[in-house]
């Protein structure tokens, strides 16, 4: 009977050799740019108390209502695999009193997140985000800074076709005024909405705007009478939003206003934004974020304002593929050592140690292959030089693979003359 093979769980992906190099390159650029902008890395656990996400992201959101991986452990605690990073970072900030270390605290993070969504291109159940959270400043300049930082990262990774969508949902009073107008509008189209939206109209009307049901999207987003958030902003919210836009213009950041953008999480209280790029299929947002001034207080922490964003790395890669900047190969081998005599293999291992200690990518054959097959392997690994050991004296044949030339010399001479020039 054939043994059944176990496959990766639906919505999860392996990142294989040959692909992982691109992930490393992205992580390198993220680490380098965030540090240049003064951010420090924070790492939080992959699972948290379920109530953390319910209280921060909001009970009425798709994420909390439909998409979380929640389970009970042996102690009957309700735990959830993190669906995003913001709630965990803020929980850690409060728990470790990071405000005592000076404000604002500028933090960045990177890692796997989990949402039980219907998998499709750019949408997985385990996906990866990097993000930043700045805690302790109300300044709209910080909203602009996080957007400039992500734009910088996207540019460094070669994503040319990118544009921000921006909006402001405003503070509590602005949102209260907007909700009145929104409910008024939704009441007029109620019959055409899905059951979830009918319920949300009462419990949390802003969430109707990010419903994914196509019928609801058409009714809501294609209507000229849909109220625009910015028309209901209080003076302070309005002037902050104007300042963010001025900063973006001054910094040459391309953006469009989208007055129906409210984002699918409850904690936002001001500027909200997403970046759209080509090549993502139906999932056009490569990243999203915004200002959230009440989350720390709502989670029992100090009254500090915050702003941040998160980018989905799988979607970033799709955008890089579209821009033609995603091909990063494995490092080629500098030196391959070939020998078909068992007794010379120990010498080969010693040469490998010397070369590797000097920092050269070096390889040899471990499958007892013929000399011809070893030369083929060296070629496949794009080796720059092959050292052939054919005698017990210390002379070796050095083959320059790019010119198909070969010379005989000692290993010491090779190190001094040829290797030092690679
Ligand atoms: P979000 O919009 O839910 O925001 O997610 C941010 C990004 O994560 C999305 O733009 C997308 O690139 C990626 N993403 C989300 N779900 C999936 C999925 N199922 N598969 C692949 N990629 C996905 C947040 O998570 C907020 N925490 C952002 C934030 C930080 N706001 C303030 N600070």
């Amino acid at each position: 009977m054939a043994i059944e093979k176990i496959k990766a769980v639906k919505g999860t992906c392996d990142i294989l050799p040959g692909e992982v190099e691109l992930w490393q390159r992205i992580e390198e650029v993220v680490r380098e740019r965030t540090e240049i902008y003064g951010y420090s890395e924070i790492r939080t656990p992959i699972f948290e108390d379920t109530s953390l996400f319910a209280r921060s992201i909001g009970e009425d959101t798709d994420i909390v209502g439909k998409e979380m991986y929640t389970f009970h452990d042996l102690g009957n605690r309700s735990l959830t695999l993190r669906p995003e990073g913001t709630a965990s970072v803020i929980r850690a900030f409060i728990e470790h009193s990071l405000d005592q270390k000076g404000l604002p605290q500028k933090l960045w993070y990177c890692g796997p997140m989990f949402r039980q969504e219907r998998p499709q291109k750019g949408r997985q159940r385990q996906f990866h985000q990097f993000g930043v959270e700045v805690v302790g400043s109300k300044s709209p300049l910080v909203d602009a800074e996080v957007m400039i930082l992500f734009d910088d990262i996207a540019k460094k990774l070669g994503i040319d076709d990118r544009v921000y969508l921006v909006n402001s949902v405003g503070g509590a009073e602005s949102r209260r005024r907007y909700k009145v107008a929104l409910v008024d509008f939704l009441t007029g189209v109620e019959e055409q909405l899905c059951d979830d939206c009918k319920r949300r109209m009462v419990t949390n009307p802003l969430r109707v705007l990010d419903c994914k049901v196509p019928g609801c999207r058409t009714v809501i987003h294609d209507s000229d009478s849909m109220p625009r958030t910015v028309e209901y902003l209080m003076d302070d919210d309005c002037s902050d939003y104007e300042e963010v836009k001025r900063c973006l213009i001054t910094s040459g950041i391309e953006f469009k206003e989208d007055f129906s953008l409210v984002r699918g999480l409850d904690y936002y209280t001001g500027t909200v934004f997403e970046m759209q790029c080509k090549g993502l299929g139906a999932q056009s947002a490569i990243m999203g974020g915004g200002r959230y001034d009440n989350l720390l207080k709502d989670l029992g922490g100090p009254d500090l304002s915050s702003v941040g964003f998160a980018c989905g790395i799988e979607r970033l890669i799709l955008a890089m593929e579209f821009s033609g900047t995603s091909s990063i190969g494995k490092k080629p081998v500098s030196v391959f050592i070939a020998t078909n005599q068992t007794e010379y293999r120990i010498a080969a291992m010693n040469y490998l140690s010397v070369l590797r200690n000097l920092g050269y990518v070096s390889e040899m054959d471990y499958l007892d292959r013929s000399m011809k097959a070893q030369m083929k392997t060296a070629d496949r690994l794009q080796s720059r030089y092959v050292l052939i050991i054919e005698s017990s004296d210390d002379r070796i044949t050095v083959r320059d693979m790019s010119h198909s030339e070969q010379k005989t010399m000692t290993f010491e001479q090779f190190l001094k003359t040829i290797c030092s020039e690679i």
Side-chain angles (χ1 to χ4, degrees), residues 61-217:
T61 58
D62 278 355
I63 298 177
V64 173
K66 303 177 185 170
E67 298 170 359
M68 293 207 303
Y69 282 97
T70 297
F71 58 96
H72 283 86
D73 71 0
L74 295 179
N76 205 29
R77 282 169 287 255
S78 177
L79 304 174
T80 294
L81 298 184
R82 62 183 184 192
E84 56 115 48
T86 310
S88 304
V89 170
I90 298 305
R91 196 258 321 128
F93 183 97
I94 297 169
E95 189 169 334
H96 302 284
S97 305
L98 294 187
D99 51 323
Q100 305 293 313
K101 298 193 184 291
L103 293 174
Q105 279 290 312
K106 299 166 75 171
L107 306 166
W108 74 273
Y109 54 91
C110 182
M113 309 289 161
F114 307 85
R115 297 185 193 175
Q116 195 159 347
E117 295 192 78
R118 199 162 44 79
Q120 53 175 254
K121 184 178 174 190
R123 197 204 279 161
Q124 290 177 203
R125 292 185 170 171
Q126 175 175 328
F127 60 99
H128 298 78
Q129 285 185 341
F130 69 83
V132 307
E133 312 296 345
V134 182
V135 184
S137 169
K138 256 183 122 42
S139 170
L141 299 186
V142 185
D143 303 31
E145 179 182 281
V146 298
M147 294 173 75
I148 293 167
L149 165 59
F150 181 75
D151 189 72
D152 182 354
I153 291 171
K155 190 160 93 193
K156 287 264 169 331
L157 293 171
I159 301 169
D160 292 331
D161 212 326
R162 57 188 199 278
V163 62
Y164 274 117
L165 299 183
V166 294
N167 191 21
S168 174
V169 295
E173 183 52 20
S174 303
R175 282 202 313 284
R176 191 196 60 73
R177 286 165 19 140
Y178 178 64
K179 277 181 195 168
V180 173
L182 183 61
V183 170
D184 212 33
F185 162 75
L186 294 173
T187 309
V189 294
E190 187 173 355
E191 283 315 303
Q192 300 166 66
L193 299 177
C194 72
D195 288 345
D196 259 355
C197 285
K198 284 182 187 149
R199 184 181 50 76
R200 285 165 166 171
M201 257 178 71
V202 181
T203 56
N204 192 344
L206 276 187
R207 294 285 64 88
V208 176
L209 299 187
D210 40 60
C211 177
K212 291 178 189 128
V213 175
C216 294
R217 295 201 70 78

Side-chain angles (χ1 to χ4, degrees), residues 251-268:
S251 310
I253 306 287
E254 213 185 311
F255 71 91
K256 287 197 283 207
E257 291 186 87
D258 176 348
F259 302 121
S260 63
L261 180 72
V262 292
R263 311 250 318 117
L265 305 97
D266 273 355
Y267 48 62
Y268 295 112

Side-chain angles (χ1 to χ4, degrees), residues 14 53 82 166 292 414:
D14 299 306
F53 302 116
R82 62 183 184 192
V166 294
Y292 51 99
F414 170 71

Side-chain angles (χ1 to χ4, degrees), residues 366-382:
Y366 293 115
L367 293 177
D368 291 339
R369 279 183 278 218
S370 68
M371 187 54 81
K372 195 173 159 202
Q374 289 186 51
M375 294 309 283
K376 264 193 178 164
T377 308
D379 205 40
R380 178 172 57 77
L381 296 173
Q382 298 174 307

